[in-house]
Amino acid sequence: MKQGEQTKLSIIKAANKLFYQQGFHKTAFSDIVKEVGLSKGNITYHFKSKDDILTAVIEHRVERTKQILTTWDQDYANADTRLLCFIDSLIDGKSALTRYGCPNGTLASELGKSNELTRQLSHRVFDLIRQWLSTQFLALGYSSEQANDRALDLFTRGQGICVLAQVYNDEDIFELQVNHLKALVSEKINS
Amino acid sequence: MKQGEQTKLSIIKAANKLFYQQGFHKTAFSDIVKEVGLSKGNITYHFKSKDDILTAVIEHRVERTKQILTTWDQDYANADTRLLCFIDSLIDGKSALTRYGCPNGTLASELGKSNELTRQLSHRVFDLIRQWLSTQFLALGYSSEQANDRALDLFTRGQGICVLAQVYNDEDIFELQVNHLKALVSEKINS
DNA sequence: TCAATATTAGTACTATTGTACTAATATGTA
DNA sequence: TACATATTAGTACAATAGTACTAATATTGA
């Protein structure tokens, strides 16, 4: 990897962390500069504006999400195992999810209010996950329409749990509610 | 009502609107000044800081929420009617909820990341609604624990729906999913 | 009434915002 | 090697942030 690409990546990672932990608007350009540990001029060389960094961060999240979903596809043969894997990943991340909410959900909530472009970008991460969930339910024997419903339902509840857990800053609520989601996966078809 | 109280209220209402539609950090002090239509000095006379306005806005939301819940309690005798009323209110507000998300959820998501005080304030609005929902389920015959579960579940899903609908900017997703919630209310006990 | 207080407007101020620009250095290539 | 380009650092800048301050006007109560 070329030197510049390396730097670009470290900028994206630093910004990604800050946008998640502080929100986009709360995060100043200088915060990113400080977090990366390079000069201001260096950052603006690689990204001419804060919005450019945001776009790159979302692109990065899209790629990272694709990567994770692909890994699960490769590592697990059964759809129900994969779905449980998705749910377990929520529990694994409960500390951050409870503290800062869902990275994609909170960013979309913040940006969706005023910025149509970034709403659409966030939208892409959501589509990836929804699509993947739907595919798993399809493999479990649900009809196409039912699978979409299940996926949307599971996703919706996951987002809701993140919001509630963050508001109450309560990991127990988070874990308890997420465990309820497991029932959705193992439920009998056509219930 | 004294003149000053009137002004204070108009400031709160303007800020409330902007915090909802743009988010807290995106909303500048000057935005509020413009929205209220009074001088900058006048605003700082009534609220010495932007954070003070925020606190007042949340207090206002708490009072407004109490008021609405009380009205429902007075107007409807049956708990299931009240719960349907709650759900219908979501559908009534679907346009704004889809465009800007849930006022309380999105504000809490934004502020909960960095500001512990306002997280706790948002927390209060959530408690009011959760408590009320729980009371209704209790009246329907659920046990105390079950009622709490139901309330949390209903609330969680409502929040999740708002996030998804906003991300997709899709009122149909919103209405469809909210209608699913009605099943939660009319479901048989102990299912 | 008049004095005290409440309210409003307008301006000033410092700090910080995001971005632009220049100069220096590193890297790669012919 | 020498040249061109990529990368980095440092500084400068106009614009805006939030708040403080003063003066003018309204309102109130004795």
Side-chain angles (χ1 to χ4, degrees):
Chain A
M1 195 189 289
K2 282 204 289 189
Q3 184 63 244
E5 293 301 312
Q6 193 79 36
T7 305
K8 244 178 172 157
L9 189 60
S10 67
I11 296 169
I12 290 172
K13 283 185 174 174
N16 185 42
K17 178 186 168 189
L18 293 174
F19 291 167
Y20 177 39
Q21 295 184 353
Q22 310 186 347
F24 176 73
H25 289 110
K26 180 97 196 288
T27 300
F29 204 89
S30 59
D31 291 336
I32 301 173
V33 171
K34 209 180 304 169
E35 179 75 23
V36 177
L38 298 173
S39 70
K40 182 178 274 197
N42 199 351
I43 316 281
T44 57
Y45 169 72
H46 289 287
F47 299 98
K48 75 170 200 294
S49 74
K50 194 183 162 192
D51 277 316
D52 272 10
I53 298 180
L54 174 60
T55 304
V57 163
I58 298 178
E59 289 290 351
H60 180 255
R61 289 188 183 184
V62 169
E63 293 310 315
R64 178 89 188 107
T65 303
K66 276 184 189 166
Q67 190 185 325
I68 290 170
L69 296 178
T70 303
T71 303
W72 287 342
D73 281 341
Q74 288 168 347
D75 289 358
Y76 307 97
N78 299 331
D80 49 0
T81 312
R82 289 176 185 166
L83 286 169
L84 287 177
C85 205
F86 169 77
I87 294 174
D88 281 337
S89 78
L90 298 180
I91 294 180
D92 285 345
K94 80 171 171 182
S95 172
L97 290 171
T98 300
R99 178 68 190 82
Y100 303 111
C102 168
N104 302 308
T106 54
L107 188 66
S109 283
E110 184 184 357
L111 299 172
K113 286 174 181 286
S114 49
N115 190 323
E116 177 59 18
L117 175 68
T118 42
R119 209 209 78 243
Q120 287 177 9
L121 282 172
S122 306
H123 178 129
R124 287 175 53 204
V125 187
F126 277 68
D127 268 338
L128 277 175
I129 299 173
R130 253 183 87 187
Q131 196 56 248
W132 184 85
L133 290 174
S134 189
T135 304
Q136 307 316 314
F137 281 114
L138 206 62
L140 284 181
Y142 288 96
S143 74
S144 172
E145 198 185 344
Q146 282 176 322
N148 276 328
D149 278 357
R150 291 264 150 177
L152 188 57
D153 190 39
L154 184 54
F155 202 6
T156 297
R157 295 174 76 161
Q159 286 296 322
I161 291 168
C162 287
V163 173
L164 266 286
Q166 193 200 353
V167 168
Y168 286 105
N169 194 26
D170 188 331
E171 293 191 15
D172 292 336
I173 285 187
F174 185 87
E175 184 149 8
L176 193 73
Q177 290 288 307
V178 169
N179 278 322
H180 282 354
L181 296 184
K182 289 187 180 172
L184 291 181
V185 175
S186 36
E187 243 173 36
K188 278 223 273 310
I189 291 176
N190 272 332
S191 64
Chain B
M1 195 189 293
K2 282 206 290 192
Q3 185 63 244
E5 294 300 312
Q6 192 78 38
T7 306
K8 245 178 174 158
L9 189 61
S10 67
I11 296 170
I12 290 172
K13 283 186 175 175
N16 185 41
K17 178 184 169 190
L18 292 174
F19 291 166
Y20 176 41
Q21 294 184 352
Q22 308 185 348
F24 175 73
H25 290 110
K26 179 95 196 286
T27 300
F29 204 89
S30 59
D31 290 336
I32 300 173
V33 171
K34 210 180 303 169
E35 179 75 24
V36 177
L38 297 173
S39 71
K40 182 179 276 199
N42 199 352
I43 316 282
T44 58
Y45 170 72
H46 290 286
F47 299 96
K48 75 169 199 294
S49 74
K50 194 184 163 191
D51 278 317
D52 272 11
I53 299 180
L54 175 61
T55 304
V57 163
I58 298 178
E59 289 291 351
H60 180 255
R61 289 188 184 185
V62 169
E63 292 311 315
R64 177 90 188 105
T65 303
K66 275 184 189 167
Q67 191 184 323
I68 290 171
L69 296 178
T70 303
T71 303
W72 287 343
D73 281 341
Q74 289 168 346
D75 289 359
Y76 307 98
N78 299 330
D80 50 0
T81 312
R82 289 176 185 165
L83 285 169
L84 288 176
C85 206
F86 170 77
I87 294 174
D88 281 338
S89 79
L90 298 180
I91 293 180
D92 285 344
K94 77 171 174 181
S95 172
L97 290 171
T98 300
R99 178 69 189 80
Y100 303 111
C102 168
N104 302 307
T106 54
L107 190 66
S109 284
E110 185 184 357
L111 300 173
K113 287 175 182 283
S114 50
N115 190 324
E116 178 59 16
L117 175 69
T118 42
R119 207 208 81 242
Q120 287 177 9
L121 282 171
S122 306
H123 178 131
R124 287 175 55 203
V125 187
F126 277 68
D127 269 338
L128 278 175
I129 298 173
R130 252 183 87 187
Q131 196 56 248
W132 184 85
L133 289 174
S134 189
T135 304
Q136 306 318 313
F137 281 114
L138 205 61
L140 283 181
Y142 288 96
S143 74
S144 173
E145 198 185 345
Q146 281 176 324
N148 276 329
D149 279 356
R150 289 265 151 175
L152 188 56
D153 190 39
L154 183 54
F155 202 5
T156 297
R157 294 174 75 161
Q159 286 297 322
I161 290 168
C162 287
V163 174
L164 266 286
Q166 191 200 354
V167 168
Y168 286 106
N169 195 24
D170 187 331
E171 293 191 17
D172 293 336
I173 286 186
F174 185 87
E175 183 148 11
L176 194 72
Q177 290 288 308
V178 169
N179 276 323
H180 283 354
L181 296 183
K182 289 187 180 173
L184 291 182
V185 175
S186 36
E187 242 173 37
K188 275 220 274 311
I189 291 177
N190 273 331
S191 65

PDB file of all heavy atoms in Angstrom, chain A residues 27-30 40 48-50, chain C residues 16-21 27-28:
ATOM      1  N   THR A  27     -18.065  16.885  16.115  1.00  0.00           N
ATOM      2  CA  THR A  27     -16.651  16.645  15.822  1.00  0.00           C
ATOM      3  C   THR A  27     -16.087  17.737  14.929  1.00  0.00           C
ATOM      4  O   THR A  27     -16.543  17.938  13.806  1.00  0.00           O
ATOM      5  CB  THR A  27     -16.464  15.276  15.128  1.00  0.00           C
ATOM      6  OG1 THR A  27     -16.948  14.237  15.975  1.00  0.00           O
ATOM      7  CG2 THR A  27     -14.995  15.030  14.820  1.00  0.00           C
ATOM      8  N   ALA A  28     -15.103  18.440  15.451  1.00  0.00           N
ATOM      9  CA  ALA A  28     -14.474  19.513  14.674  1.00  0.00           C
ATOM     10  C   ALA A  28     -13.333  18.944  13.843  1.00  0.00           C
ATOM     11  O   ALA A  28     -12.792  17.884  14.151  1.00  0.00           O
ATOM     12  CB  ALA A  28     -13.940  20.582  15.605  1.00  0.00           C
ATOM     13  N   PHE A  29     -13.021  19.682  12.806  1.00  0.00           N
ATOM     14  CA  PHE A  29     -11.891  19.307  11.960  1.00  0.00           C
ATOM     15  C   PHE A  29     -10.636  19.136  12.819  1.00  0.00           C
ATOM     16  O   PHE A  29      -9.872  18.189  12.639  1.00  0.00           O
ATOM     17  CB  PHE A  29     -11.665  20.388  10.914  1.00  0.00           C
ATOM     18  CG  PHE A  29     -10.968  19.901   9.689  1.00  0.00           C
ATOM     19  CD1 PHE A  29     -11.682  19.392   8.621  1.00  0.00           C
ATOM     20  CD2 PHE A  29      -9.591  19.935   9.608  1.00  0.00           C
ATOM     21  CE1 PHE A  29     -11.036  18.923   7.493  1.00  0.00           C
ATOM     22  CE2 PHE A  29      -8.939  19.458   8.483  1.00  0.00           C
ATOM     23  CZ  PHE A  29      -9.663  18.954   7.426  1.00  0.00           C
ATOM     24  N   SER A  30     -10.470  20.034  13.743  1.00  0.00           N
ATOM     25  CA  SER A  30      -9.274  19.997  14.600  1.00  0.00           C
ATOM     26  C   SER A  30      -9.256  18.746  15.486  1.00  0.00           C
ATOM     27  O   SER A  30      -8.192  18.257  15.852  1.00  0.00           O
ATOM     28  CB  SER A  30      -9.213  21.253  15.464  1.00  0.00           C
ATOM     29  OG  SER A  30     -10.359  21.346  16.270  1.00  0.00           O
ATOM     30  N   LYS A  40      -2.564  19.515  10.091  1.00  0.00           N
ATOM     31  CA  LYS A  40      -3.813  19.943   9.465  1.00  0.00           C
ATOM     32  C   LYS A  40      -3.690  19.952   7.934  1.00  0.00           C
ATOM     33  O   LYS A  40      -4.585  19.473   7.224  1.00  0.00           O
ATOM     34  CB  LYS A  40      -4.175  21.339   9.982  1.00  0.00           C
ATOM     35  CG  LYS A  40      -5.463  21.886   9.452  1.00  0.00           C
ATOM     36  CD  LYS A  40      -5.783  23.253  10.051  1.00  0.00           C
ATOM     37  CE  LYS A  40      -6.513  23.126  11.356  1.00  0.00           C
ATOM     38  NZ  LYS A  40      -7.188  24.377  11.765  1.00  0.00           N
ATOM     39  N   LYS A  48     -10.329  17.274   0.872  1.00  0.00           N
ATOM     40  CA  LYS A  48     -10.410  18.730   0.777  1.00  0.00           C
ATOM     41  C   LYS A  48     -11.454  19.350   1.701  1.00  0.00           C
ATOM     42  O   LYS A  48     -11.428  20.549   1.950  1.00  0.00           O
ATOM     43  CB  LYS A  48     -10.644  19.173  -0.676  1.00  0.00           C
ATOM     44  CG  LYS A  48     -12.028  18.975  -1.221  1.00  0.00           C
ATOM     45  CD  LYS A  48     -12.162  19.693  -2.581  1.00  0.00           C
ATOM     46  CE  LYS A  48     -13.620  19.941  -2.940  1.00  0.00           C
ATOM     47  NZ  LYS A  48     -14.368  18.685  -3.170  1.00  0.00           N
ATOM     48  N   SER A  49     -12.367  18.544   2.232  1.00  0.00           N
ATOM     49  CA  SER A  49     -13.355  19.097   3.160  1.00  0.00           C
ATOM     50  C   SER A  49     -13.793  18.046   4.172  1.00  0.00           C
ATOM     51  O   SER A  49     -13.540  16.841   3.997  1.00  0.00           O
ATOM     52  CB  SER A  49     -14.566  19.621   2.389  1.00  0.00           C
ATOM     53  OG  SER A  49     -15.340  18.543   1.930  1.00  0.00           O
ATOM     54  N   LYS A  50     -14.444  18.520   5.214  1.00  0.00           N
ATOM     55  CA  LYS A  50     -14.964  17.613   6.237  1.00  0.00           C
ATOM     56  C   LYS A  50     -16.031  16.696   5.639  1.00  0.00           C
ATOM     57  O   LYS A  50     -16.137  15.525   6.017  1.00  0.00           O
ATOM     58  CB  LYS A  50     -15.564  18.461   7.372  1.00  0.00           C
ATOM     59  CG  LYS A  50     -15.844  17.702   8.658  1.00  0.00           C
ATOM     60  CD  LYS A  50     -16.514  18.624   9.682  1.00  0.00           C
ATOM     61  CE  LYS A  50     -17.206  17.827  10.785  1.00  0.00           C
ATOM     62  NZ  LYS A  50     -18.074  18.671  11.613  1.00  0.00           N
TER      63      LYS A  50
ATOM     64  P    DT C  16     -10.778  28.088  21.809  1.00  0.00           P
ATOM     65  OP1  DT C  16     -10.999  27.038  22.819  1.00  0.00           O
ATOM     66  OP2  DT C  16      -9.406  28.528  21.440  1.00  0.00           O
ATOM     67  O5'  DT C  16     -11.537  27.642  20.480  1.00  0.00           O
ATOM     68  C5'  DT C  16     -12.950  27.579  20.489  1.00  0.00           C
ATOM     69  C4'  DT C  16     -13.468  27.433  19.077  1.00  0.00           C
ATOM     70  O4'  DT C  16     -13.342  28.702  18.387  1.00  0.00           O
ATOM     71  C3'  DT C  16     -12.688  26.410  18.223  1.00  0.00           C
ATOM     72  O3'  DT C  16     -13.608  25.484  17.705  1.00  0.00           O
ATOM     73  C2'  DT C  16     -12.036  27.261  17.143  1.00  0.00           C
ATOM     74  C1'  DT C  16     -13.022  28.416  17.048  1.00  0.00           C
ATOM     75  N1   DT C  16     -12.483  29.664  16.438  1.00  0.00           N
ATOM     76  C2   DT C  16     -13.173  30.236  15.401  1.00  0.00           C
ATOM     77  O2   DT C  16     -14.202  29.772  14.945  1.00  0.00           O
ATOM     78  N3   DT C  16     -12.612  31.392  14.900  1.00  0.00           N
ATOM     79  C4   DT C  16     -11.452  32.003  15.337  1.00  0.00           C
ATOM     80  O4   DT C  16     -11.059  33.038  14.814  1.00  0.00           O
ATOM     81  C5   DT C  16     -10.779  31.348  16.431  1.00  0.00           C
ATOM     82  C7   DT C  16      -9.511  31.932  16.972  1.00  0.00           C
ATOM     83  C6   DT C  16     -11.322  30.222  16.930  1.00  0.00           C
ATOM     84  P    DT C  17     -13.166  24.161  17.009  1.00  0.00           P
ATOM     85  OP1  DT C  17     -13.728  23.068  17.825  1.00  0.00           O
ATOM     86  OP2  DT C  17     -11.709  24.229  16.763  1.00  0.00           O
ATOM     87  O5'  DT C  17     -13.918  24.172  15.613  1.00  0.00           O
ATOM     88  C5'  DT C  17     -15.278  24.640  15.550  1.00  0.00           C
ATOM     89  C4'  DT C  17     -15.578  25.239  14.189  1.00  0.00           C
ATOM     90  O4'  DT C  17     -14.976  26.548  14.118  1.00  0.00           O
ATOM     91  C3'  DT C  17     -14.961  24.506  13.019  1.00  0.00           C
ATOM     92  O3'  DT C  17     -15.796  23.439  12.631  1.00  0.00           O
ATOM     93  C2'  DT C  17     -14.890  25.591  11.949  1.00  0.00           C
ATOM     94  C1'  DT C  17     -14.790  26.888  12.760  1.00  0.00           C
ATOM     95  N1   DT C  17     -13.482  27.638  12.672  1.00  0.00           N
ATOM     96  C2   DT C  17     -13.329  28.594  11.710  1.00  0.00           C
ATOM     97  O2   DT C  17     -14.191  28.871  10.901  1.00  0.00           O
ATOM     98  N3   DT C  17     -12.107  29.239  11.736  1.00  0.00           N
ATOM     99  C4   DT C  17     -11.066  29.006  12.613  1.00  0.00           C
ATOM    100  O4   DT C  17     -10.022  29.639  12.552  1.00  0.00           O
ATOM    101  C5   DT C  17     -11.305  27.968  13.588  1.00  0.00           C
ATOM    102  C7   DT C  17     -10.228  27.638  14.571  1.00  0.00           C
ATOM    103  C6   DT C  17     -12.486  27.351  13.578  1.00  0.00           C
ATOM    104  P    DG C  18     -15.193  22.212  11.874  1.00  0.00           P
ATOM    105  OP1  DG C  18     -16.230  21.155  11.849  1.00  0.00           O
ATOM    106  OP2  DG C  18     -13.877  21.952  12.456  1.00  0.00           O
ATOM    107  O5'  DG C  18     -14.982  22.732  10.377  1.00  0.00           O
ATOM    108  C5'  DG C  18     -16.082  23.241   9.659  1.00  0.00           C
ATOM    109  C4'  DG C  18     -15.586  23.912   8.397  1.00  0.00           C
ATOM    110  O4'  DG C  18     -14.717  25.015   8.766  1.00  0.00           O
ATOM    111  C3'  DG C  18     -14.751  23.003   7.484  1.00  0.00           C
ATOM    112  O3'  DG C  18     -15.171  23.164   6.133  1.00  0.00           O
ATOM    113  C2'  DG C  18     -13.324  23.477   7.694  1.00  0.00           C
ATOM    114  C1'  DG C  18     -13.514  24.941   8.031  1.00  0.00           C
ATOM    115  N9   DG C  18     -12.428  25.465   8.866  1.00  0.00           N
ATOM    116  C8   DG C  18     -11.914  24.917  10.016  1.00  0.00           C
ATOM    117  N7   DG C  18     -10.940  25.615  10.536  1.00  0.00           N
ATOM    118  C5   DG C  18     -10.787  26.684   9.678  1.00  0.00           C
ATOM    119  C6   DG C  18      -9.887  27.782   9.723  1.00  0.00           C
ATOM    120  O6   DG C  18      -9.007  28.010  10.551  1.00  0.00           O
ATOM    121  N1   DG C  18     -10.075  28.652   8.638  1.00  0.00           N
ATOM    122  C2   DG C  18     -11.022  28.486   7.662  1.00  0.00           C
ATOM    123  N2   DG C  18     -11.059  29.417   6.704  1.00  0.00           N
ATOM    124  N3   DG C  18     -11.872  27.470   7.609  1.00  0.00           N
ATOM    125  C4   DG C  18     -11.700  26.610   8.641  1.00  0.00           C
ATOM    126  P    DT C  19     -14.545  22.251   5.008  1.00  0.00           P
ATOM    127  OP1  DT C  19     -15.598  21.976   4.022  1.00  0.00           O
ATOM    128  OP2  DT C  19     -13.813  21.150   5.660  1.00  0.00           O
ATOM    129  O5'  DT C  19     -13.489  23.241   4.353  1.00  0.00           O
ATOM    130  C5'  DT C  19     -13.955  24.501   3.873  1.00  0.00           C
ATOM    131  C4'  DT C  19     -12.786  25.365   3.474  1.00  0.00           C
ATOM    132  O4'  DT C  19     -11.977  25.666   4.641  1.00  0.00           O
ATOM    133  C3'  DT C  19     -11.830  24.732   2.456  1.00  0.00           C
ATOM    134  O3'  DT C  19     -11.836  25.555   1.299  1.00  0.00           O
ATOM    135  C2'  DT C  19     -10.472  24.718   3.150  1.00  0.00           C
ATOM    136  C1'  DT C  19     -10.638  25.782   4.222  1.00  0.00           C
ATOM    137  N1   DT C  19      -9.784  25.619   5.419  1.00  0.00           N
ATOM    138  C2   DT C  19      -8.883  26.610   5.740  1.00  0.00           C
ATOM    139  O2   DT C  19      -8.744  27.627   5.073  1.00  0.00           O
ATOM    140  N3   DT C  19      -8.137  26.376   6.869  1.00  0.00           N
ATOM    141  C4   DT C  19      -8.213  25.269   7.702  1.00  0.00           C
ATOM    142  O4   DT C  19      -7.493  25.164   8.693  1.00  0.00           O
ATOM    143  C5   DT C  19      -9.172  24.268   7.310  1.00  0.00           C
ATOM    144  C7   DT C  19      -9.339  23.033   8.130  1.00  0.00           C
ATOM    145  C6   DT C  19      -9.911  24.487   6.201  1.00  0.00           C
ATOM    146  P    DA C  20     -10.940  25.145   0.051  1.00  0.00           P
ATOM    147  OP1  DA C  20     -11.778  25.335  -1.144  1.00  0.00           O
ATOM    148  OP2  DA C  20     -10.311  23.845   0.325  1.00  0.00           O
ATOM    149  O5'  DA C  20      -9.798  26.269   0.065  1.00  0.00           O
ATOM    150  C5'  DA C  20     -10.133  27.596   0.473  1.00  0.00           C
ATOM    151  C4'  DA C  20      -8.896  28.460   0.407  1.00  0.00           C
ATOM    152  O4'  DA C  20      -8.132  28.323   1.637  1.00  0.00           O
ATOM    153  C3'  DA C  20      -7.940  28.091  -0.728  1.00  0.00           C
ATOM    154  O3'  DA C  20      -7.386  29.289  -1.271  1.00  0.00           O
ATOM    155  C2'  DA C  20      -6.879  27.232  -0.038  1.00  0.00           C
ATOM    156  C1'  DA C  20      -6.833  27.851   1.356  1.00  0.00           C
ATOM    157  N9   DA C  20      -6.480  26.909   2.421  1.00  0.00           N
ATOM    158  C8   DA C  20      -7.032  25.690   2.655  1.00  0.00           C
ATOM    159  N7   DA C  20      -6.531  25.066   3.700  1.00  0.00           N
ATOM    160  C5   DA C  20      -5.581  25.947   4.187  1.00  0.00           C
ATOM    161  C6   DA C  20      -4.697  25.882   5.279  1.00  0.00           C
ATOM    162  N6   DA C  20      -4.633  24.840   6.113  1.00  0.00           N
ATOM    163  N1   DA C  20      -3.879  26.926   5.480  1.00  0.00           N
ATOM    164  C2   DA C  20      -3.949  27.969   4.650  1.00  0.00           C
ATOM    165  N3   DA C  20      -4.740  28.142   3.589  1.00  0.00           N
ATOM    166  C4   DA C  20      -5.540  27.084   3.409  1.00  0.00           C
ATOM    167  P    DC C  21      -6.543  29.231  -2.623  1.00  0.00           P
ATOM    168  OP1  DC C  21      -6.941  30.374  -3.451  1.00  0.00           O
ATOM    169  OP2  DC C  21      -6.633  27.852  -3.160  1.00  0.00           O
ATOM    170  O5'  DC C  21      -5.061  29.472  -2.110  1.00  0.00           O
ATOM    171  C5'  DC C  21      -4.821  30.474  -1.132  1.00  0.00           C
ATOM    172  C4'  DC C  21      -3.419  30.306  -0.558  1.00  0.00           C
ATOM    173  O4'  DC C  21      -3.458  29.323   0.500  1.00  0.00           O
ATOM    174  C3'  DC C  21      -2.396  29.788  -1.572  1.00  0.00           C
ATOM    175  O3'  DC C  21      -1.429  30.805  -1.806  1.00  0.00           O
ATOM    176  C2'  DC C  21      -1.785  28.555  -0.929  1.00  0.00           C
ATOM    177  C1'  DC C  21      -2.241  28.627   0.520  1.00  0.00           C
ATOM    178  N1   DC C  21      -2.487  27.290   1.149  1.00  0.00           N
ATOM    179  C2   DC C  21      -1.807  26.964   2.323  1.00  0.00           C
ATOM    180  O2   DC C  21      -1.021  27.784   2.809  1.00  0.00           O
ATOM    181  N3   DC C  21      -2.041  25.751   2.886  1.00  0.00           N
ATOM    182  C4   DC C  21      -2.901  24.895   2.327  1.00  0.00           C
ATOM    183  N4   DC C  21      -3.093  23.731   2.941  1.00  0.00           N
ATOM    184  C5   DC C  21      -3.596  25.217   1.125  1.00  0.00           C
ATOM    185  C6   DC C  21      -3.358  26.414   0.576  1.00  0.00           C
ATOM    186  P    DT C  27      10.218   8.664   2.285  1.00  0.00           P
ATOM    187  OP1  DT C  27       9.425   7.752   3.134  1.00  0.00           O
ATOM    188  OP2  DT C  27      11.708   8.667   2.311  1.00  0.00           O
ATOM    189  O5'  DT C  27       9.758   8.440   0.779  1.00  0.00           O
ATOM    190  C5'  DT C  27       8.395   8.698   0.420  1.00  0.00           C
ATOM    191  C4'  DT C  27       8.258   8.616  -1.089  1.00  0.00           C
ATOM    192  O4'  DT C  27       8.828   9.795  -1.692  1.00  0.00           O
ATOM    193  C3'  DT C  27       8.977   7.423  -1.721  1.00  0.00           C
ATOM    194  O3'  DT C  27       8.001   6.568  -2.295  1.00  0.00           O
ATOM    195  C2'  DT C  27       9.919   8.039  -2.761  1.00  0.00           C
ATOM    196  C1'  DT C  27       9.305   9.423  -2.963  1.00  0.00           C
ATOM    197  N1   DT C  27      10.256  10.492  -3.391  1.00  0.00           N
ATOM    198  C2   DT C  27      10.005  11.157  -4.567  1.00  0.00           C
ATOM    199  O2   DT C  27       9.062  10.920  -5.290  1.00  0.00           O
ATOM    200  N3   DT C  27      10.930  12.142  -4.877  1.00  0.00           N
ATOM    201  C4   DT C  27      12.029  12.516  -4.136  1.00  0.00           C
ATOM    202  O4   DT C  27      12.775  13.412  -4.513  1.00  0.00           O
ATOM    203  C5   DT C  27      12.226  11.772  -2.912  1.00  0.00           C
ATOM    204  C7   DT C  27      13.392  12.099  -2.043  1.00  0.00           C
ATOM    205  C6   DT C  27      11.340  10.808  -2.598  1.00  0.00           C
ATOM    206  P    DG C  28       8.445   5.131  -2.838  1.00  0.00           P
ATOM    207  OP1  DG C  28       7.386   4.167  -2.527  1.00  0.00           O
ATOM    208  OP2  DG C  28       9.846   4.858  -2.444  1.00  0.00           O
ATOM    209  O5'  DG C  28       8.401   5.419  -4.405  1.00  0.00           O
ATOM    210  C5'  DG C  28       7.225   5.992  -4.969  1.00  0.00           C
ATOM    211  C4'  DG C  28       7.539   6.542  -6.339  1.00  0.00           C
ATOM    212  O4'  DG C  28       8.489   7.629  -6.231  1.00  0.00           O
ATOM    213  C3'  DG C  28       8.172   5.521  -7.289  1.00  0.00           C
ATOM    214  O3'  DG C  28       7.466   5.579  -8.526  1.00  0.00           O
ATOM    215  C2'  DG C  28       9.618   5.994  -7.448  1.00  0.00           C
ATOM    216  C1'  DG C  28       9.440   7.502  -7.274  1.00  0.00           C
ATOM    217  N9   DG C  28      10.639   8.228  -6.876  1.00  0.00           N
ATOM    218  C8   DG C  28      11.450   8.006  -5.781  1.00  0.00           C
ATOM    219  N7   DG C  28      12.445   8.852  -5.684  1.00  0.00           N
ATOM    220  C5   DG C  28      12.282   9.687  -6.784  1.00  0.00           C
ATOM    221  C6   DG C  28      13.069  10.798  -7.207  1.00  0.00           C
ATOM    222  O6   DG C  28      14.071  11.272  -6.682  1.00  0.00           O
ATOM    223  N1   DG C  28      12.557  11.369  -8.372  1.00  0.00           N
ATOM    224  C2   DG C  28      11.432  10.930  -9.045  1.00  0.00           C
ATOM    225  N2   DG C  28      11.092  11.602 -10.136  1.00  0.00           N
ATOM    226  N3   DG C  28      10.698   9.892  -8.664  1.00  0.00           N
ATOM    227  C4   DG C  28      11.189   9.325  -7.519  1.00  0.00           C
TER     228       DG C  28
END
